[in-house]
Structure formats: structure tokens, C-alpha cells
Amino acid sequence: MKDISSNLSRDLIGYGKEAPAVQWPHGANVAVNIVVNYEEGSEYSHEMGDGENDSLAEVDYAFPAHMRDLAKESMYEYGSRVGVWRLLRLFDEYDIKATFFGCAVAFERNPEVASVAREAGHDLLGHGWRWEEHWRLTREEEAGRIKKAVESFKETWGEAPSGWYCRYGPSINTRELVVEHGGFLYDSDAYNDDLPYYVEVNGVRHLVVPYSLTYNDIQGTRSPNLFLDYLKRGFDELWLEGSRGRPKMMSIGLHPRLVGQAARTGALREFIEYAQAKGGVWFARRVDIARWWAEHSDEFASGRANNDS
């Protein structure tokens, strides 16, 4: 472990040339975590008093920033009105348990999504009080947002989230604040590995379960074929590595307003069928991966040491 608390020093080495000898449940070659980024209704908008319009909608039209963009707002509404329900039905059909990266205000504005998702067995990671960049906030503001979000989740989801992930990336204070808040098993504010790892934060051993923007519905033109190609190619290569004794994890990021459109949901359906037919895959919630790592990581490290000797 490296102590990041004092200077946020970068770790460009990680596990090095020999990754841990991971053993996923049932001997799976790949642990796949499907993530639903539920942000609709919490994004920047004039309706929310922000004085700006957000991006990452179906079409990023060059609309004047000082005016309220009703078209873009309605594109976000599609995700909460239609897209998220299409995804939940798909997960039920294939018995997939996903992870909701939830924004507290988004659940407050559509609490049925939170209650139905939890009842279906999906897990929750805190994605902010709103869908906002934490690097815009002071340390005190950010600490307040984390506390406010957790209290909100207890009301809408029914319990506190097991992990934390900011919009795009953390501030220089985020990881310390997550640890100081307590109650989080892990955070996902990193994009630097295919496996979980530990860091030391102010003397506390803290778990990081990295996320990825590569296998994500925001890629490229958001074409269903392009999205499916990304998923299949990534899965096949990771599956091959796993079959050779080095299993990894794969995070698939979804947005209901994007992949919740029927054509892209069809591509996601095709990938799920493809992966399940191939076998050797553990479709897991993020909390399941975090717990598995916490319980077995010492065994993995020992296996690596034995293989290196």
C-alpha cells in the first residue's frame, strides 16, 4: 500500500508485470459489473437554478448556455421515464444483478426507481448528492454533499451506499472525505486498473474498485454496433487472460437516457446473451466484488508471490 494522504502521489507501477492470482467465484475468468449511472433530474440545468445546461444527452446541440434548454431536459427525462425501466426489465429477464451509481436528487425526484431497483437485488454506490463535479467544491462543501447524499439515500433506497464515485473524477479531498465519513466499503474514483487494490489514507487501509469509461455507452458515436463491438472485444480479451490464470474485472457503464433507447438496449441484450453462452463469467454487483476482494485479497497476493518465486 502507498500512503496517498499527504501528497496524492501517483502510483504508476500498480501490480507490475504479475497481477495477483485472482480466483473469482465458480472459477470465472471475468467478473463483469454492469453499472447504471442514474443521474436524470440531478444534472446541471436552469430548472435547478444552475444558470447552465448540462451535456451528455442524446444530442449535444449548440444551444445558448444562458437559456433554458427544454429539449435537452426532455432527453434526460427519457432516461427516468422510459430507459431505466427498460434496463430493469432486461436485467430481470437474464437474472443480472447490477450496480446503481445513484445521484441522491435523482432518486428524490423519482423514488420508485430506487425502491424497485433495491427490491430487485441491485446494489447502490453513491454518485453524489447531485450529478456535479466535486472539484468545483470546497472541502467543506464536498463533505456536506457526501453527508447530505447518504442521508437522502437512506430515505429513498432504504440504506446507505456501500461505495462512492464522483462525476468524472474526484477532487484532491474526495478520498480522505470518504474515509473520514465512514461506512463506505470502497470507492471507485479511479480508472487505473482491471483489479481492485488497497491504498492507505491517513493510516486507514482503504479499498479502491476502479471504474472504466472504455466499456461505456458514451463511447464513439453511441452506435449500437460500436458499443457492442467494444463490449465483445473487451470481454473476449479479458476472458482469454482469465483462462490463462490471470482473471480480471470488467466495468460496463450505462446511462438510461442513452442505452435505455431501444436500439442500444438491443446491443446490451446481445452482449449479455453472448457472455452467458460463452460461460466463465461472473456477473456481479460491485459490492460483491468489493466484499470478495476484502475477504480473499491476501490469498491472491500469496498466490502471486508463489508464482513469482
Side-chain angles (χ1 to χ4, degrees):
M1 293 188 299
K2 294 181 181 290
D3 188 347
I4 65 161
S5 58
S6 58
N7 58 10
L8 292 170
S9 59
R10 297 174 66 190
D11 180 1
L12 297 170
I13 298 173
Y15 289 117
K17 68 183 181 67
E18 291 293 345
V22 177
Q23 294 181 14
W24 296 128
H26 316 299
N29 293 332
V30 189
V32 175
N33 175 229
I34 293 182
V35 171
V36 179
N37 291 273
Y38 191 72
E39 303 147 350
E40 284 78 0
S42 70
E43 76 279 3
Y44 297 123
S45 68
H46 287 270
E47 183 252 356
M48 292 288 285
D50 299 308
E52 62 181 297
N53 301 300
D54 218 317
S55 58
L56 197 58
E58 182 66 27
V59 175
D60 284 329
Y61 178 80
F63 196 86
H66 67 281
M67 297 178 64
R68 184 175 177 183
D69 190 341
L70 296 178
K72 185 165 290 183
E73 288 179 19
S74 71
M75 294 174 200
Y76 274 84
E77 290 165 13
Y78 186 90
S80 61
R81 291 165 59 114
V82 181
V84 71
W85 302 114
R86 180 171 285 132
L87 292 176
L88 284 167
R89 289 193 298 271
L90 182 74
F91 299 150
D92 283 346
E93 183 178 348
Y94 291 94
D95 194 25
I96 297 290
K97 304 305 179 187
T99 296
F100 272 69
F101 280 26
C103 295
V105 168
F107 282 148
E108 289 175 6
R109 302 189 75 176
N110 195 348
E112 188 178 19
V113 173
S115 60
V116 170
R118 186 189 181 198
E119 185 177 354
H122 307 298
D123 75 311
L124 174 66
L125 175 147
H127 193 21
W129 177 61
R130 289 184 59 192
W131 193 47
E132 60 187 350
E133 294 102 340
H134 279 218
W135 50 262
R136 294 190 183 196
L137 307 174
T138 66
R139 183 183 178 91
E140 292 71 25
E141 288 172 337
E142 185 175 7
R145 295 287 208 284
I146 294 172
K147 180 179 179 181
K148 195 172 184 178
V150 170
E151 293 306 310
S152 176
F153 290 131
K154 289 178 181 177
E155 293 295 321
T156 56
W157 188 271
E159 63 181 355
S162 58
W164 189 262
Y165 171 74
C166 301
R167 176 175 179 170
Y168 177 69
S171 77
I172 60 173
N173 301 306
T174 301
R175 188 156 286 157
E176 285 188 352
L177 292 175
V178 166
V179 172
E180 288 175 9
H181 184 277
F184 293 109
L185 176 60
Y186 68 97
D187 79 63
S188 288
D189 276 317
Y191 308 87
N192 55 5
D193 215 301
D194 293 322
L195 290 173
Y197 58 88
Y198 282 99
V199 294
E200 187 172 308
V201 182
N202 291 339
V204 176
R205 191 177 190 235
H206 177 68
L207 180 62
V208 179
V209 183
Y211 188 46
S212 172
L213 297 181
T214 300
Y215 310 111
N216 193 296
D217 59 12
I218 66 175
Q219 282 291 358
T221 63
R222 301 175 187 152
S223 154
N225 286 335
L226 180 60
F227 179 52
L228 178 59
D229 189 53
Y230 261 110
L231 297 187
K232 282 186 173 181
R233 287 179 181 274
F235 176 79
D236 283 345
E237 191 65 22
L238 292 170
W239 192 98
L240 181 62
E241 292 180 11
S243 71
R244 293 173 176 175
R246 297 297 173 187
K248 304 294 194 307
M249 65 173 287
M250 179 181 183
S251 298
I252 298 176
L254 311 176
H255 300 80
R257 60 190 176 275
L258 299 179
V259 82
Q261 294 284 347
R264 300 189 191 105
T265 303
L268 179 62
R269 174 189 298 275
E270 186 173 337
F271 170 74
I272 290 173
E273 292 179 349
Y274 175 81
Q276 288 185 335
K278 187 164 185 173
V281 56
W282 178 38
F283 278 100
R285 303 178 305 173
R286 211 162 191 82
V287 69
D288 298 326
I289 293 173
R291 288 171 179 165
W292 185 263
W293 200 266
E295 293 170 4
H296 299 280
S297 60
D298 290 341
E299 301 169 20
F300 304 153
S302 175
R304 180 179 60 174
N306 290 337
N307 288 338
D308 288 346
S309 60

